[in-house]
Amino acid sequence: MVGSLKKVVLTGLSAQGLSAGSAIITQLLTLLVLSRILSATDFGVLASCAVIMSFAHVFVDAGVGPAIVQRKAINPVFVTTGLVLSIFFGLCMYILLLVGAPLYAQLFDDNRVISVLRWQGLSFVILAFCLPSKALLEREMQFVKIASIEMLRSIIVAGLSIFLALRGFGIWSIVYGNLLGVCFYVCGMLTAKRYPLVVHYDAIELRSMIRYGGGLTLTRFFNHLAQNADTFLVGSILGLDLLGYYERALKMIRMPSLLLGQVLDRVSFPVFSRYQDDVNLKQGFFRVVTLGYLIQFPLCVAIWILAPEIVSVLLGEGWEAVVDPLRIMVLCLPFRIMIRMTDSLVRAKGAVYLSASRKAIFAIAVVLFCGFGTQWGITGAAWGALAALLLNYTLMSRLSNRLIDSRLMNHLYAVLPGVGGAGLVAILNIYAVKFMREAQFEELYILIIIGVANTIISSTGVICLWRRFMQKGMEV
């Protein structure tokens, strides 16, 4: 059993890592092209719509997928009950978008927000049909199938978006590209895992799913409020132009967070759920967190040092205002890993209402801190978001201590390898980048050389850590 679990986890990490990596590459390619075609105001319109779309996604899912994964034993009726619930919420959210889009657009004084929201809302109805399929694949730890579908979706979205942008479709290139990607994704999931597509539910199963999904939906609602409140405040207070700059910095920071956080979460949640009552869960949890820290701390240092080159290469000329908020936002990267892993642990243990109360505090903190910070422009808003995230990190660390009976020393031991790696990367990067800047190296060459060197350093650290004690943590 131990050997089988190790193989499943390693395969899952590799497959999800490849999928997330391809998503990052395609997003970077899309960013590289579209930043030279679309204006900051265009990106501001898309960012303002993304705020509402992310909130709507919380209610469309309604905790159906995680409920199927987390439950110890399921039956076909439980799955079809989840289908009914997801379709119901998908239709409700689409109707709300149709009706409420004009009111929301008044906040930004741009009528394009109305039509973009209404078209994007179609994805919620379409996605509802594949939620049970995806959850069943995760429950069975079929990570390769999931990763393959998501990787192809990323390629399709990027290719179509770039093609349409070059054809002069403007912001609609991204809207249409995402819709086609959603259609492919749903077809892929339904093909990979079939289940009875019948509108049938059981009242007892429905109450059970709503009980768990309700707490999870509250958690996601407050978390999405916190994650998007800064974008909303910047757009409504500082305007769409500054929102475009702020959103570009936020987009670049969320890419590496997606790469690692999503990979670890996708694999750890099904594993934590299957072994939610195992005495070795604490050990396995901190092994995963340590791995995340070891990757994210050095990455944080590298991005901070190379911020001017990153902005220049990815966004081109005219985006220099992104550098300062990017450097502030990157400081939150390592802490996002601990929060993400605690979220997985909470879902696996069923403690969703404990998490919801903490996410509510986080959301309030983002609104207060970022609202206050906007007095100093997008840089002040970035500092406010960082302060709120540190508060969330503290709250979620204490919750993890409660759930698995851990102590402060467990967190310190998990941080040490990452801090050591960050120190080594900082020393090497500072002198190497300084030398190359003075020698007037091309910015792209600086990124390539330093990126390869940092990858070698981080990979060596991960391999050494895995061989020394990570594998022992997998024996759950």
Side-chain angles (χ1 to χ4, degrees):
M1 176 66 70
V2 172
S4 176
L5 179 59
K6 287 181 182 179
K7 182 178 179 181
V8 169
V9 171
L10 287 174
T11 302
L13 289 173
S14 300
Q16 290 296 323
L18 182 61
S19 174
S22 66
I24 295 296
I25 293 173
T26 54
Q27 286 183 31
L28 287 174
L29 180 61
T30 305
L31 180 65
L32 188 68
V33 176
L34 296 187
S35 294
R36 289 159 172 80
I37 300 176
L38 305 183
S39 66
T41 304
D42 291 332
F43 283 113
V45 171
L46 292 170
S48 64
C49 293
V51 173
I52 292 298
M53 292 296 292
S54 61
F55 277 126
H57 181 72
V58 172
F59 297 99
V60 170
D61 182 276
V64 171
I68 294 175
V69 176
Q70 190 268 347
R71 188 162 176 170
K72 294 181 179 179
I74 61 172
N75 54 63
V77 176
F78 188 75
V79 175
T80 57
T81 300
L83 173 63
V84 172
L85 199 60
S86 61
I87 292 176
F88 172 76
F89 281 106
L91 289 171
C92 287
M93 288 304 106
Y94 182 58
I95 293 173
L96 285 176
L97 283 176
L98 286 176
V99 176
L103 181 63
Y104 181 71
Q106 292 179 7
L107 297 173
F108 302 96
D109 194 26
D110 195 320
N111 289 331
R112 289 181 297 174
V113 173
I114 301 175
S115 51
V116 169
L117 274 178
R118 287 175 171 174
W119 274 96
Q120 289 182 332
L122 287 171
S123 63
F124 294 133
V125 181
I126 301 171
L127 281 171
F129 290 91
C130 78
L131 285 178
S133 292
K134 181 175 178 290
L136 290 171
L137 288 172
E138 289 181 348
R139 180 181 178 85
E140 297 170 2
M141 300 186 185
Q142 298 290 330
F143 301 118
V144 174
K145 291 183 179 180
I146 298 174
S148 300
I149 296 170
E150 291 177 342
M151 184 164 52
L152 290 174
R153 175 190 180 183
S154 299
I155 295 172
I156 291 173
V157 171
L160 185 60
S161 297
I162 292 174
F163 173 77
L164 292 176
L166 294 173
R167 287 281 190 171
F169 278 74
I171 61 174
W172 293 104
S173 59
I174 298 178
V175 176
Y176 295 150
N178 286 331
L179 275 177
L180 182 62
V182 166
C183 293
F184 169 80
Y185 180 79
V186 171
C187 293
M189 287 295 175
L190 291 175
T191 302
K193 186 63 181 180
R194 300 180 182 275
Y195 69 94
L197 281 171
V198 294
V199 181
H200 176 71
Y201 71 95
D202 179 80
I204 297 177
E205 301 289 14
L206 183 62
R207 284 195 296 270
S208 174
M209 184 169 289
I210 291 177
R211 188 180 306 113
Y212 177 87
L216 185 57
T217 299
L218 279 176
T219 300
R220 288 179 169 177
F221 171 77
F222 289 123
N223 189 56
H224 275 74
L225 177 63
Q227 296 292 343
N228 293 280
D230 56 341
T231 303
F232 175 80
L233 290 171
V234 169
S236 58
I237 296 175
L238 301 179
L240 289 178
D241 287 339
L242 287 178
L243 175 59
Y245 292 113
Y246 188 87
E247 189 271 341
R248 290 298 86 188
L250 193 61
K251 184 79 171 181
M252 287 188 285
I253 288 304
R254 286 181 175 174
M255 283 183 186
S257 179
L258 169 70
L259 179 61
L260 183 61
Q262 181 175 291
V263 168
L264 294 178
D265 179 68
R266 288 279 184 87
V267 177
S268 62
F269 173 52
V271 174
F272 290 167
S273 296
R274 179 170 295 187
Y275 298 95
Q276 57 187 276
D277 298 323
D278 196 286
V279 294
N280 292 320
L281 179 60
K282 179 175 76 173
Q283 187 182 38
F285 171 75
F286 278 105
R287 300 307 187 203
V288 176
V289 172
T290 302
L291 177 63
Y293 280 144
L294 183 60
I295 297 174
Q296 292 287 58
F297 268 109
L299 181 62
C300 171
V301 171
I303 293 177
W304 196 94
I305 295 173
L306 294 166
E309 285 79 11
I310 293 173
V311 171
S312 178
V313 171
L314 292 182
L315 303 182
E317 297 181 359
W319 294 88
E320 292 77 10
V322 174
V323 174
D324 287 339
L326 175 63
R327 281 179 161 167
I328 298 169
M329 293 177 185
V330 77
L331 299 177
C332 71
L333 273 182
F335 306 104
R336 289 183 182 274
I337 292 301
M338 178 63 190
I339 296 171
R340 194 71 179 261
M341 290 303 95
T342 303
D343 289 341
S344 297
L345 180 67
V346 165
R347 299 200 308 272
K349 299 286 285 186
V352 288
Y353 289 97
L354 292 175
S355 178
S357 61
R358 287 152 178 83
K359 296 300 182 183
I361 297 174
F362 176 37
I364 295 172
V366 172
V367 173
L368 294 178
F369 295 166
C370 287
F372 180 74
T374 53
Q375 299 178 70
W376 295 274
I378 58 177
T379 301
W383 279 115
L386 175 61
L389 187 128
L390 291 176
L391 174 62
N392 186 32
Y393 172 78
T394 303
L395 295 174
M396 297 307 291
S397 296
R398 291 174 64 86
L399 179 58
S400 68
N401 291 344
R402 176 177 175 179
L403 293 177
I404 55 178
D405 193 27
S406 60
R407 298 291 182 268
L408 177 62
M409 291 305 298
N410 296 112
H411 295 275
L412 293 178
Y413 284 132
V415 167
L416 287 177
V419 172
L424 178 60
V425 167
I427 294 173
L428 295 177
N429 281 211
I430 288 174
Y431 288 103
V433 172
K434 180 180 179 181
F435 169 78
M436 285 187 283
R437 285 172 179 170
E438 291 176 349
Q440 297 183 345
F441 277 56
E442 291 288 339
E443 294 169 330
L444 179 59
Y445 294 153
I446 294 177
L447 289 181
I448 293 175
I449 295 171
I450 298 300
V452 171
N454 289 337
T455 300
I456 294 174
I457 294 172
S458 299
S459 299
T460 302
V462 170
I463 293 172
C464 292
L465 180 68
W466 184 273
R467 288 181 176 177
R468 289 192 63 180
F469 63 92
M470 284 291 290
Q471 286 183 308
K472 296 178 181 178
M474 295 307 302
E475 297 178 5
V476 295

